[in-house]
């Protein structure tokens, strides 16, 4: 059943689940996410933290057992005889509960990356305390509890007596401290008693010290209050309401608060096919992904995010003079992509990569993403002054030139550039929205010329991308194969959803890119070469786009059925991956994936609007 939150804040799927591993690894879907606006951690159903980068999302991982069960490093907290578990979030928060049960007893672990007292998550300022608190409660029995803190690459301990410094071999200057009255060193095993409660605290960064800065229970409560203040702005009534709410929180967990950047996912190198080489580092901020996140959050009441994104991305562009595909969290270019041979990869899916070579690509859709975000922000009451307009004006002019030039496209092919239809369509968005802003706000600009060029792009798409044999618009101006990204054209107001060629394209994509059970491939590498070996899973966002088209074409029952089936693929915490294995339903790709949660929110908003319109008729 769909994993959605109940009124009590737990997921509806509260059943106990056996702890199972494949090739020595928990399934990707058997993890939860906690975060503090600086970084995030994956907590497994077995109680182990298998992923945590400190001090921020794109730093070296302190724990990376999800990429190498033997050498990756982890923070293990478990029962010696644990056989089953369940996980849920505390109501309307990013604080996670993991309960473990074995023959000797049951324990509850509360994990929180803590937030400052009074933190306002709607502001682009640091809110995290550089601190992970793990609270352990013995619910039943007298179980044997095992704790092990093993930094990736090794670490040495200095001090003891419940508080020690960890000198991490890979980052010896990081101020890393572990606090626990139950531990002496980095590994312990001991018998606990029913009703017992204790805390393990890991701190890092300049503010870390050997001495506590507050009662752990108070810090957890302050963190809960901060999350609940933020989600109080949530405004949505429609299908899968509680899962939409959880998606909003998940996207916020991927928000780097000091700058307003949003990482595409919390992880690096989780494979798009087990055993395959399509493994990428997603711990950076893509202009496209961030803009779509902003758009989705605005539609459910989270309006402050747009201003932060515009400031971040325009400052980043100003640094080197042109819009890039992606940036690090401070608006600079990420490190060069490299392969790390020291880690075997999830279920031996090598290579593990750090950095992302797509940063050097040209993807012309970024023009449309930025301008559309600015347009939506202005329509919602955001202020665009003359200085901001001058920067936006330059981007609109850039789109006027760029749409005819081949690029690497939305899917970041690693071949020579092509005239991608989607890229041209988003240049249409930049020109059309730019013209609207110039006219409606009275700013200088060639509004008539921009509109004329936008219409030229639309006509070119309808004629040059149309394949009469396939009865579909295709991936390239001039023809090619099917591409699910074209399902976005109605949502970006490039073509009407009921335009005959859009209706035909929707049917062709659903037929030729079908992965079964409502899932779609984004394209087929064997007919659309992308310069990479192997295949990949079904791309979740594309199926949400299909639901959007069905809804706008009047096929509302089909759209609802597809939407509900996609929501049903969320794990028991309401989290979604980038891709799904069509054969098994297992999660693939980096996790959780902001793109997928954007699709869930946006499709829910569209369906709710169509439902209201239907009731009025």
């Amino acid at each position: 059943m769909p994993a959605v939150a109940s009124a009590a804040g737990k997921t509806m799927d509260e059943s106990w689940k056996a702890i199972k591993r494949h090739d020595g690894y928990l399934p990707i879907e058997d993890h939860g996410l906690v975060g503090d606006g600086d970084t995030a951690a994956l907590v497994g159903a077995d109680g182990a933290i298998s992923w945590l980068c400190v001090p921020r999302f794109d730093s070296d991982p302190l724990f990376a057992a999800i990429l190498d069960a033997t050498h990756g490093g982890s923070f293990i907290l478990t029962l010696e005889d644990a056989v089953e578990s369940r996980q849920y979030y505390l109501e309307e928060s990013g604080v996670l509960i993991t309960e473990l049960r074995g023959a000797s007893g049951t324990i509850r672990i509360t994990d929180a990356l803590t937030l400052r007292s009074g933190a306002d998550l709607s502001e682009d300022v640091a809110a995290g305390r550089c601190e992970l608190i793990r609270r352990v409660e013995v619910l039943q029995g007298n179980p044997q509890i095992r704790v092990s803190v093993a930094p990736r690459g090794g670490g040495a301990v200095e001090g003891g007596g419940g508080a020690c410094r960890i000198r991490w071999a890979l980052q010896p200057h990081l101020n890393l401290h572990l606090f626990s009255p139950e531990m002496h060193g980095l590994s312990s095993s001991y018998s606990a008693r029913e009703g017992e409660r204790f805390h393990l605290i890991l701190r890092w960064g300049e503010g870390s010290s050997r001495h506590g800065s507050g009662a752990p229970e108070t810090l957890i409560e302050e963190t809960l209050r901060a999350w609940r203040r933020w989600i109080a702005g949530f405004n949505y009534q429609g299908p899968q309401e509680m899962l939409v709410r959880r998606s909003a929180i998940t996207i916020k967990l991927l928000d780097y608060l000091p700058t307003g950047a949003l990482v595409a996912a919390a992880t690096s190198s989780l494979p798009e096919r087990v055993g395959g080489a399509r493994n990428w580092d997603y711990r950076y901020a893509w202009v496209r992904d961030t803009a779509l996140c902003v758009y989705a959050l605005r539609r459910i009441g989270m309006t402050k995010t747009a201003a932060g994104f515009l400031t971040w991305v325009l400052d980043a562009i100003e640094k080197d003079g042109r819009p890039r595909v992606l940036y690090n969290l401070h608006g600079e270019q990420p490190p060069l992509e490299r392969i790390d041979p020291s880690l075997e990869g999830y279920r031996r899916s090598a290579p593990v990569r750090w950095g992302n070579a797509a940063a050097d690509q040209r993807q012309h859709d970024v023009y449309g993403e930025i301008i559309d975000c600015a347009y939506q922000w202005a329509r919602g009451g955001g202020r665009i002054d003359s200085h901001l307009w001058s920067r936006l004006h330059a981007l609109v002019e850039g789109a006027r030139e760029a749409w005819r030039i081949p690029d690497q496209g939305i899917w970041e092919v690693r071949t020579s550039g092509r005239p991608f239809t989607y890229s041209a369509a988003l240049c249409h968005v930049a020109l059309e929205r730019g013209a609207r802003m110039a006219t409606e706000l009275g700013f200088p600009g060639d509004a008539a010329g921009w509109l004329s060029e936008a219409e030229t792009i639309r006509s070119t798409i309808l004629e040059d991308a149309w394949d009469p044999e396939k009865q579909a618009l295709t991936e390239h101006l001039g023809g090619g194969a099917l591409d699910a990204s074209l399902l976005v054209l109605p949502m970006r107001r490039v073509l009407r959803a009921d335009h005959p060629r859009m209706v035909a394209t929707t049917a062709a994509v659903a037929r030729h890119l079908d992965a079964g059970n409502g899932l779609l491939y984004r394209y087929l590498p064997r007919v659309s070469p992308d310069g990479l070996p192997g295949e990949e899973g079904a791309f979740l966002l594309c199926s949400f786009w299909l639901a959007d088209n069905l809804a706008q074409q009047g096929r509302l029952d089909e759209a609802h059925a597809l939407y509900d089936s996609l929501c049903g693929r969320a794990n028991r915490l309401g989290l979604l991956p980038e891709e799904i294995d069509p054969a098994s339903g297992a999660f693939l790709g980096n996790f959780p994936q902001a793109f997928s949660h954007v699709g869930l929110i946006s499709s829910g908003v569209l369906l709710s609007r169509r439902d209201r319109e239907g009731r009025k008729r």
Side-chain angles (χ1 to χ4, degrees):
M1 74 171 57
V4 298
S6 67
K10 298 183 182 181
T11 63
M12 292 178 64
D13 183 4
E14 297 179 20
S15 59
W16 292 89
K17 181 179 177 182
I19 300 171
K20 294 183 178 180
R21 292 177 173 81
H22 302 285
D23 304 321
Y25 291 81
L26 283 178
I28 295 171
E29 54 266 33
D30 285 355
H31 293 84
L33 184 76
V34 294
D36 63 358
D38 285 312
T39 189
L42 290 185
V43 184
D46 60 354
I49 291 178
S50 59
W51 181 261
L52 173 63
C53 300
V54 292
R56 67 185 205 184
F57 290 103
D58 58 352
S59 300
D60 286 340
L62 175 65
F63 305 126
I66 199 167
L67 296 180
D68 193 312
T70 304
H71 303 105
S74 61
F75 189 160
I76 295 171
L77 174 54
T78 192
L79 296 179
E80 292 282 11
D81 62 353
V83 295
E84 57 185 4
S85 71
R86 60 184 181 183
Q87 289 185 300
Y88 54 89
Y89 283 104
L90 289 179
E91 184 179 0
E92 299 190 329
S93 81
V95 177
L96 181 67
I97 302 294
T98 304
E99 294 180 357
L100 299 169
R101 186 160 69 182
S104 63
T106 304
I107 65 170
R108 177 185 295 142
I109 304 167
T110 302
D111 280 301
L113 280 165
T114 57
L115 301 171
R116 290 182 292 101
S117 175
D120 184 349
L121 298 180
S122 66
E123 297 181 351
D124 290 327
V125 295
R129 295 170 47 86
C130 300
E131 173 182 74
L132 168 70
I133 292 182
R134 313 200 73 188
R135 179 175 67 198
V136 182
E137 301 167 87
V138 182
L139 303 181
Q140 183 269 325
N142 297 290
Q144 193 77 9
I145 296 176
R146 180 164 63 94
V147 182
S148 173
V149 180
R152 181 176 67 98
V157 176
E158 299 175 356
C164 62
R165 177 173 181 179
I166 302 172
R167 189 169 293 279
W168 181 17
L170 299 183
Q171 288 195 48
H173 302 296
L174 189 69
N175 203 14
L176 193 63
H177 285 89
L178 177 67
F179 303 83
S180 172
E182 308 296 333
M183 291 185 68
H184 300 280
L186 297 182
S187 182
S188 294
S189 180
Y190 52 92
S191 297
R193 299 184 303 277
E194 188 169 321
E196 186 177 350
R197 173 186 289 196
F198 61 91
H199 299 85
L200 304 168
I201 304 172
L202 185 67
R203 294 198 183 103
W204 55 87
E206 294 301 319
S208 175
S209 71
R210 290 174 54 86
H211 305 287
S213 58
E217 295 294 338
T218 301
L219 298 176
I220 292 173
E221 286 303 314
E222 289 288 352
T223 300
L224 287 169
R225 280 194 282 271
W227 278 110
R228 290 165 183 167
R229 280 193 298 270
W230 181 78
I231 198 63
F234 179 87
N235 181 19
Y236 169 84
Q237 292 180 328
Q240 303 282 354
E241 180 176 336
M242 299 311 293
L243 193 52
V244 171
R245 184 184 295 265
R246 176 50 56 188
S247 288
I249 293 172
T250 302
I251 291 174
K252 194 62 180 176
L253 282 165
L254 300 175
D255 185 2
Y256 183 65
L257 290 175
T259 64
L262 277 151
V263 296
T267 57
S268 174
S269 301
L270 292 180
E272 296 174 6
R273 178 66 63 91
V274 172
R278 294 169 180 258
N279 316 321
W280 314 109
D281 191 346
Y282 277 13
R283 301 169 302 144
Y284 306 109
W286 271 253
V287 170
R288 171 178 53 251
D289 298 43
T290 305
L292 289 174
C293 287
V294 168
Y295 183 61
L297 290 176
R298 280 185 54 81
R299 298 175 81 188
I300 55 173
M302 309 305 187
T303 57
K304 289 187 177 180
T305 311
F309 165 67
L310 279 175
T311 300
W312 169 78
V313 74
L314 292 173
D315 285 348
I317 290 169
E318 202 164 51
K319 289 178 182 178
D320 62 3
R322 72 173 178 90
R324 299 277 186 168
V325 177
L326 65 109
Y327 298 89
N328 74 6
L329 303 178
H330 286 276
E332 299 163 347
Q333 286 301 280
L336 295 176
E337 183 175 298
R338 65 181 178 88
I339 289 174
D340 186 347
S342 71
L343 300 175
E344 70 173 10
Y346 174 77
R347 296 180 61 185
R348 287 173 281 288
S349 300
V352 168
R353 291 183 172 93
W354 310 122
N356 198 300
D360 290 328
Q361 292 185 352
R362 287 189 178 269
Q363 297 174 24
H364 302 323
D365 64 303
V366 297
Y367 294 102
E369 300 295 1
I370 298 167
I371 299 301
D372 192 38
C373 186
Y375 175 67
Q376 298 296 335
W377 183 56
R379 286 189 66 196
R383 180 173 176 267
I384 295 180
D385 58 22
S386 57
H387 176 65
L388 176 55
W389 174 250
S390 69
R391 300 161 83 184
L392 296 174
H393 182 284
L395 292 173
V396 180
E397 286 291 341
R400 172 145 55 177
E401 301 299 322
W403 75 271
R404 300 178 186 274
I405 302 171
D407 69 346
Q408 270 66 45
I410 181 177
W411 305 131
E412 302 179 348
V413 298
R414 298 204 170 190
T415 60
S416 58
R418 307 177 208 160
F420 282 100
T421 306
Y422 180 88
S423 297
L426 268 290
C427 287
H428 169 283
V429 170
L431 289 157
E432 196 272 345
R433 305 300 193 273
R436 283 179 178 268
M437 280 193 286
T439 301
E440 294 170 9
L441 302 177
F443 283 120
D446 183 14
W450 292 342
L451 283 177
S452 176
E453 193 73 9
E455 187 54 39
T456 297
I457 296 173
R458 189 202 311 268
S459 298
T460 302
I461 289 171
L462 286 170
E463 296 303 319
D464 290 4
W466 177 255
D467 186 319
E469 292 186 6
K470 293 184 177 72
Q471 284 292 292
L473 297 169
T474 59
E475 60 185 341
H476 304 142
L477 301 179
L482 274 296
D483 182 346
S485 70
L486 300 186
L487 295 174
V488 176
L489 269 56
M491 276 58 76
R492 309 315 290 269
R493 300 180 185 176
V494 179
L495 295 177
R496 300 189 321 274
D498 60 357
H499 188 288
R501 294 196 168 179
M502 197 64 232
V503 173
T505 299
T506 301
V509 167
R511 184 169 60 253
H512 292 291
L513 298 182
D514 177 36
N517 299 312
L519 297 173
L520 292 177
Y521 297 108
R522 50 184 172 174
Y523 60 95
L524 300 177
R526 64 181 180 273
V527 295
S528 300
D530 56 13
L532 299 165
E535 302 289 330
E536 61 182 30
F539 202 83
L540 265 178
L541 180 59
C542 296
S543 292
F544 285 112
W545 289 340
L546 177 58
D548 294 342
N549 278 269
L550 294 175
Q552 294 200 71
Q553 291 167 14
R555 300 161 65 181
L556 202 54
D557 288 345
E558 293 174 72
H560 272 290
L562 176 56
Y563 181 68
D564 288 342
S565 76
L566 297 172
C567 290
R569 292 187 179 277
N571 74 0
R572 55 183 171 173
L573 293 168
L575 304 179
L576 290 168
E578 178 184 26
E579 298 184 4
I580 296 284
D581 183 333
S584 67
F587 285 11
L588 294 171
N590 285 306
F591 170 83
Q593 178 80 3
F595 243 180
S596 299
H597 289 280
V598 164
L600 192 150
I601 293 171
S602 297
S603 293
V605 170
L606 175 59
L607 285 167
S608 66
R609 187 172 71 242
R610 290 292 178 176
D611 287 342
R612 289 194 300 271
E613 292 170 354
R615 288 192 293 269
K616 288 180 181 178
R617 288 195 296 268

